[in-house]
Amino acid sequence: MVENIQAVAQEIEAAQLTNAAELEQFRITYIGRKGRVAELFDNLKQVAPEQRREVGQQLNALKNRAQERFDQAQEQLASTADTAGDTGFDFTLPPVPNTLGTRHPLSLVRREIVRIFERIGFNVAEGPEIEDDWHNFSALNFPENHPAREMQDTFFLSEDKDKLLRTHTSNVQVRLMENNQPPLRSIMPGRVYRNEAISARAHMVFHQVEGLYVNKGVSFKDLKETLYYFAKEMFGQDTKIRFRPSFFPFTEPSAEIDISCFICKGEGCNICKGSGWVEIGGSGMVDPAVLESCKIDSKVYSGFAFGMGIERISMLKYQIKDLRLFTENDVRFLRQFEGVI
């Protein structure tokens, strides 16, 4: 029995307690209820009665020594952890670099558009994305049988079709004219929604920026000069602009806006489909009926409005061929814009 006590005492002194795993194994092996010391105590009844007192004292000393070694090692490991900060950290590992994010290309283009128009006196106006029929259609001179009022073209939120997701940011123009008196000079960037099949060239949610200028004596010449300035600032000083007659319910006369292709310089390429021109949006003089709907005297005031897709501008500026890339959150695509400021 004495030999066994001495052998266990030597094991306790020789035990390596340099980490948490070794410390836990030591506790189980020597201090636990089924450990070596507890086993020796169970065998004490086999010792001769006249020797039990002496052997019992040796066992108590062994038990105390095992507990003492455990406590000392535990305290030392805790002190080391406090000094190092994290016991699980390997200081030999290479550092993990802090990766910085970047702005989304749509945010970059939107910010640039806003800055360009701010330089010529436009401010930014915003409005709700959930809209009613009046602000989205009726006040803008849309007839009741217009295709945009059908479920297949618009996301309606109620059975009576009075609540819908706005199909353009023109609703902000209506609210601006209803609540303010001319002169008005604002742009309206924001998300819009249309019930379209998602493809490389179309999406159910996209971004627009529209502009409105209402004052006395506003003419089509003011519209042309404003958009000409924008095109040169956005796409380069060599950019040319042209207007093609078109129709919109809320403007009269109306025109589509084209710019000279800045890729091929008008010679023809796959971006402009060989024409030398690319379309960027629509524009026109605000229809007098729209002004009257917003309680603005059309005999005193006139104005122009324009609108363009931010995705469209981004695709042209950065030569992006698939509209879906803007919403897929593919970091390989987004990292291409890390250097853009």
Side-chain angles (χ1 to χ4, degrees):
M1 183 67 173
V2 175
E3 291 80 1
N4 291 337
I5 293 175
Q6 293 175 348
V8 172
Q10 292 176 358
E11 293 176 7
I12 290 174
E13 295 299 332
Q16 297 293 322
L17 304 177
T18 58
N19 55 52
E22 291 177 347
L23 188 65
E24 177 64 13
Q25 185 60 47
F26 180 90
R27 186 191 67 79
I28 295 172
T29 304
Y30 298 105
I31 301 177
R33 291 183 178 181
K34 297 182 179 180
R36 299 286 301 280
V37 175
E39 183 180 350
L40 290 174
F41 269 101
D42 290 338
N43 295 333
L44 182 61
K45 58 187 176 181
Q46 300 177 5
V47 178
E50 63 274 12
Q51 296 178 347
R52 286 180 186 174
R53 179 181 179 83
E54 180 182 355
V55 173
Q57 292 176 345
Q58 293 180 12
L59 284 175
N60 285 328
L62 180 67
K63 177 182 177 183
N64 293 336
R65 179 54 183 162
Q67 186 66 48
E68 182 182 2
R69 279 224 64 195
F70 179 84
D71 293 341
Q72 290 175 346
Q74 189 177 45
E75 183 178 351
Q76 185 176 0
L77 288 175
S79 176
T80 303
D82 291 338
T83 303
D86 184 3
T87 58
F89 184 78
D90 186 350
F91 288 96
T92 64
L93 292 174
V96 178
N98 293 324
T99 56
L100 297 178
T102 183
R103 289 183 175 90
H104 194 278
L106 295 180
S107 298
L108 292 168
V109 172
R110 169 177 167 151
R111 183 180 62 173
E112 187 172 358
I113 292 172
V114 169
R115 286 178 174 177
I116 291 172
F117 282 107
E118 281 181 340
R119 291 199 289 267
I120 54 175
F122 284 79
N123 57 28
V124 176
E126 296 182 337
E129 295 181 14
I130 298 177
E131 195 52 278
D132 55 42
D133 179 275
W134 169 257
H135 292 94
N136 198 83
F137 292 130
S138 298
L140 292 165
N141 211 29
F142 278 84
E144 292 186 0
N145 60 349
H146 195 281
R149 292 175 180 262
E150 297 298 325
M151 296 285 291
Q152 63 265 27
D153 291 290
T154 300
F155 290 106
F156 287 95
L157 305 181
S158 61
E159 293 295 333
D160 60 3
K161 296 186 179 181
D162 189 51
K163 294 295 182 181
L164 53 98
L165 297 179
R166 66 182 181 186
T167 59
H168 44 204
T169 57
S170 301
N171 68 315
V172 186
Q173 296 187 32
V174 176
R175 292 181 176 274
L176 186 67
M177 289 187 286
E178 283 181 337
N179 299 305
N180 300 274
Q181 289 298 313
L184 304 171
R185 195 198 306 250
S186 298
I187 58 171
M188 301 86 183
R191 275 190 301 262
V192 298
Y193 308 85
R194 296 181 187 176
N195 191 3
E196 296 185 8
I198 297 175
S199 67
R201 299 182 63 84
H203 207 287
M204 55 169 282
V205 55
F206 54 100
H207 297 76
Q208 275 189 342
V209 57
E210 297 191 14
L212 174 70
Y213 178 39
V214 178
N215 204 351
K216 295 179 180 179
V218 177
S219 67
F220 202 92
K221 178 179 181 298
D222 298 314
L223 170 63
K224 291 177 63 177
E225 292 298 328
T226 299
L227 293 177
Y228 183 59
Y229 167 79
F230 165 75
K232 291 171 70 71
E233 291 294 309
M234 176 61 73
F235 299 106
Q237 295 301 309
D238 295 332
T239 305
K240 298 178 181 179
I241 190 170
R242 75 175 183 181
F243 293 84
R244 290 180 290 109
S246 186
F247 169 78
F248 303 110
F250 35 83
T251 54
E252 180 61 37
S254 304
E256 301 282 358
I257 312 165
D258 296 337
I259 62 170
S260 56
C261 182
F262 52 90
I263 304 299
C264 66
K265 306 302 180 183
E267 295 182 2
C269 65
N270 64 324
I271 299 296
C272 62
K273 299 180 181 179
S275 67
W277 297 89
V278 290
E279 179 186 335
I280 63 170
S283 63
M285 300 300 295
V286 180
D287 194 301
V290 175
L291 293 175
E292 295 293 341
S293 297
C294 299
K295 304 299 188 292
I296 294 177
D297 191 344
S298 61
K299 296 180 181 179
V300 178
Y301 295 100
S302 59
F304 66 72
F306 59 86
M308 58 193 78
I310 297 180
E311 278 88 348
R312 176 68 170 165
I313 302 296
S314 303
M315 292 176 77
L316 291 172
K317 187 174 181 65
Y318 298 123
Q319 300 184 42
I320 299 169
K321 297 182 179 181
D322 195 327
L323 187 70
R324 292 168 292 191
L325 289 170
F326 291 121
T327 53
E328 288 179 346
N329 295 325
D330 190 330
V331 294
R332 295 171 299 177
F333 168 71
L334 298 176
R335 283 174 180 165
Q336 298 177 57
F337 303 92
E338 289 178 345
V340 182
I341 59 174

